[in-house]
Amino acid sequence: MFREFIVASAASWALLAQAPRVEEAQLRAHLPFLADDLLEGRGPGQRGGRLAVLYLETQLKALGLRPALGSSFLQPVKLLGMKNLVSKSALTFTGPAGPIPLQYTRDILLGSAAPLAQLRIDAPMLFVGHGITYEDRDDFKGIDVRGKVLLALVGDWPGQGEDYSSPSHFVGRWTYKLAEARRRGAAGILLIHSAGRVGYDWDVVQAGWGTERFYPDPPPEGAALQGWLSEEASRALFKASGLDFEALRLAADAPEFRPIPLPIYLKGVVNSEVRRFEDMNVAGVLPGTDPVLGQELLIYSAHWDHLGIDPASGKIFNGAVDNASGCAGLLAIAHALQHHPSKRSQMFLFTCAEEPGLYGAEAFVAAPPWPLEKIVADLNLESLNFAGPTRDIGLSGAEHSSLFESAARCAREEGLSVTPAKANPAKLFFRADHFAFTKVGVPAFSPGFSLTGGWDFPDPAQADLAKSFAESRYHKPTDTYDPGWNLGGMLQQVQFTLNLGQVLANDPERPTWKGGRPAFDRVPALGKLP
Ligand SMILES: [Zn+2]
């Protein structure tokens, strides 16, 4: 199969030698602009985000690309912003011995998927273990959870295997647990945070939930109250219930687990500021030259949004790596290709609202300007390497389709080795825009996306710098641009993506799934995720 693929595409591999080179000057120009304080962290529905959209649209026009959406470069995406008004909200957890003192932000973080200025909660609590229903696994055991506030562990049950991009791991994502609670008519759900299980600390949850939360508009119905409890706070709740948290957490791993009512009542009111607005996906097209293949489309994507300004500290989440780098990379590819069209058409897509839940990419695939069956693949640029040249490239996520073989060959042509796929409990496969394409059957991955490290740097100091991103910069105001960065690695990564794109945009054969497309349609349909 692999051999046939190579033979069939010999001509397109020959073309690769003439692929235009990406210029570092492009990265050096666009990255610091998009990460500048003046863009105020490119928050959804905020001025800095609108500036980013205007900038990207202007760049695509200046490159002579065609508008991707009729006569427009912009695709509006309807969103809902909900800000929990902490000082005007009060929630009390009452156990057998009276109220349990929990402190907002330190112990508990709340959101609400219902567009209500005021949400009243008056409900008993129910521990539902992992809170998962999938194939043979049912943590609910037919118990009616309507009107209850569920308490669920984050992460998977054990023994699910190491393929963290499989549908069974998707249902272990917290986003899916919120949706499951909603589908079952629960009054709310609180997730028990555990750094060991999700791969990030409480302060990352704080950054995402301590501020305005975003949902698609209209939002999904049900389970209005959503939130997180710290591990410590959860321990306190179980202790106040006379229950052993550690023992029950272990018990919840077993398939026989049944939900356990806690003798705790949650009562109070959550007041929120509700904001309805539109954000924009920005996209331009470089038309293909072949009358037949030109009807098909290869997409390069990157999200432009980040977390805006931290209302508590006033600090800007500049999002230099995440994802001004990806946008700069995409513009650099568009710049290099502007006078080098391929047989297939190529789209440069800058998505909005990725951070709150891939909403921009989901909206794109829900109303694609090209028929989905004409889209051959999506190559997504996410949080690029800022620490210098590497000897390798990670192809995680490509292994589901023939994209892997094409990518591996591109790597060899650029003198890069391929990082062996490794288990990734943080489930990054579900956490970048390529996943929205995968779900609807379009082969996609994010070349070199590797928040957990995995880059092979010749210099240990470079490796430490790369590691420092995951540890101390990711989704923090410290994700800022440093002019001293060696962008040699970013250049490699972007060139690699362009090269792969050239093969995919010229090869007569389209990428194909291995063993059929991943069965995300076997996951119970819950409608749009929160
Ligand atoms: Zn990102």
Side-chain angles (χ1 to χ4, degrees):
M1 179 69 193
F2 183 30
R3 179 163 306 216
E4 279 169 22
F5 179 74
I6 291 174
V7 172
S9 59
S12 51
W13 286 106
L15 275 176
L16 196 53
Q18 300 148 33
R21 305 301 293 180
V22 172
E23 294 171 19
E24 182 172 337
Q26 289 288 314
L27 304 175
R28 289 276 178 210
H30 298 303
L31 202 174
F33 180 89
L34 290 165
D36 195 275
D37 280 355
L38 282 175
L39 277 92
E40 298 170 350
R42 308 184 303 279
Q46 293 172 3
R47 200 183 74 118
R50 290 198 296 276
L51 273 172
V53 165
L54 182 62
Y55 181 77
L56 295 167
E57 183 189 13
T58 303
Q59 296 297 327
L60 295 183
K61 282 180 181 168
L63 288 170
L65 298 181
R66 298 235 181 115
L69 302 126
S71 58
S72 175
F73 288 86
L74 305 180
Q75 180 182 42
V77 177
K78 283 187 172 20
L79 297 167
L80 188 66
M82 299 281 297
K83 196 192 285 174
N84 185 196
L85 301 171
V86 180
S87 61
K88 293 183 184 165
S89 303
L91 272 186
T92 321
F93 294 81
T94 308
I100 303 151
L102 292 183
Q103 195 180 317
Y104 197 79
T105 306
R106 189 196 64 188
D107 301 319
I108 182 168
L109 288 158
L110 292 178
S112 165
L116 295 171
Q118 185 167 79
L119 175 71
R120 291 193 169 275
I121 288 285
D122 192 353
M125 299 195 71
L126 181 70
F127 176 55
V128 294
H130 290 281
I132 289 173
T133 312
Y134 180 69
E135 295 188 334
D136 297 344
R137 174 98 196 184
D138 176 20
D139 291 333
F140 294 89
K141 305 288 188 297
I143 287 175
D144 187 355
V145 303
R146 278 175 298 178
K148 298 183 177 121
V149 172
L150 313 183
L151 201 52
L153 300 166
V154 289
D156 302 312
W157 70 92
Q160 277 182 268
E162 302 254 293
D163 177 7
Y164 287 97
S165 55
S166 73
S168 70
H169 282 283
F170 179 57
V171 299
R173 279 276 285 149
W174 60 264
T175 47
Y176 197 82
K177 297 184 186 197
L178 300 188
E180 179 76 43
R182 202 171 60 222
R183 182 171 73 104
R184 291 172 175 272
I189 176 168
L190 298 175
L191 299 159
I192 299 174
H193 174 256
S194 160
R197 285 171 184 249
V198 285
Y200 44 82
D201 292 330
W202 181 247
D203 57 356
V204 170
V205 186
Q206 272 176 5
W209 287 70
T211 174
E212 190 177 20
R213 300 272 314 149
F214 301 99
Y215 301 89
D217 186 18
E221 283 172 18
L225 183 79
Q226 306 178 340
W228 292 71
L229 277 175
S230 72
E231 218 165 0
E232 274 314 302
S234 311
R235 210 166 268 128
L237 282 189
F238 279 78
K239 199 171 165 204
S241 309
L243 297 168
D244 182 340
F245 175 58
E246 301 301 342
L248 288 178
R249 177 149 73 171
L250 269 179
D253 288 345
E256 336 36 275
F257 170 84
R258 296 180 66 81
I260 300 167
L262 298 189
I264 290 182
Y265 216 80
L266 182 56
K267 190 167 176 166
V269 60
V270 179
N271 284 306
S272 302
E273 200 176 285
V274 182
R275 187 165 70 103
R276 293 193 135 97
F277 61 94
E278 277 182 349
D279 258 348
M280 299 288 172
N281 290 329
V282 188
V285 169
L286 181 63
T289 54
D290 186 278
V292 178
L293 294 181
Q295 307 295 313
E296 295 181 343
L297 183 70
L298 169 70
I299 297 181
Y300 306 85
S301 59
H303 75 89
W304 60 256
D305 67 299
H306 196 52
L307 307 174
I309 297 176
D310 181 3
S313 66
K315 286 186 178 157
I316 296 169
F317 290 99
N318 298 82
V321 172
D322 186 6
N323 189 31
S325 69
C327 292
L330 208 54
L331 287 173
I333 292 177
H335 181 264
L337 292 180
Q338 58 179 324
H339 304 302
H340 294 85
S342 295
K343 290 178 182 158
R344 284 196 177 86
S345 297
Q346 298 174 87
M347 180 184 287
F348 303 90
L349 168 65
F350 299 85
T351 57
C352 64
E354 186 268 0
E355 299 288 7
L358 319 186
Y359 298 149
E362 294 274 8
F364 181 88
V365 298
W370 290 52
L372 278 184
E373 62 273 13
K374 295 282 184 194
I375 302 177
V376 298
D378 167 55
L379 301 178
N380 184 57
L381 291 179
E382 173 62 59
S383 297
L384 306 188
N385 170 18
F386 62 96
T390 58
R391 290 182 283 231
D392 68 340
I393 182 120
L395 303 182
S396 179
E399 63 278 8
H400 299 287
S401 68
S402 62
L403 287 180
F404 182 86
E405 280 69 26
S406 306
R409 180 154 177 196
C410 281
R412 277 199 301 279
E413 307 266 339
E414 283 288 309
L416 299 169
S417 65
V418 171
T419 312
K422 57 174 183 171
N424 175 242
K427 302 187 186 179
L428 294 174
F429 183 71
F430 306 133
R431 291 168 54 193
D433 277 337
H434 66 253
F435 181 56
F437 288 90
T438 304
K439 271 206 301 190
V440 296
V442 175
F445 79 113
S446 299
F449 177 35
S450 177
L451 261 180
T452 50
W455 292 107
D456 179 12
F457 292 97
D459 176 354
Q462 290 174 286
D464 287 347
L465 180 61
K467 242 178 121 189
S468 76
F469 177 72
E471 283 162 8
S472 59
R473 288 169 177 247
Y474 171 66
H475 283 199
K476 291 182 183 152
T478 43
D479 180 7
T480 52
Y481 175 68
D482 177 350
W485 280 346
N486 176 345
L487 295 189
M490 195 176 293
L491 201 58
Q492 276 180 332
Q493 189 179 2
V494 175
Q495 184 68 50
F496 169 83
T497 306
L498 179 150
N499 290 2
L500 177 56
Q502 289 305 283
V503 172
L504 301 176
N506 285 303
D507 198 292
E509 302 292 325
R510 295 172 56 145
T512 50
W513 292 107
K514 290 175 184 165
R517 58 187 263 198
F520 288 100
D521 40 11
R522 284 221 317 271
V523 171
L526 299 173
K528 276 192 104 164
L529 289 177

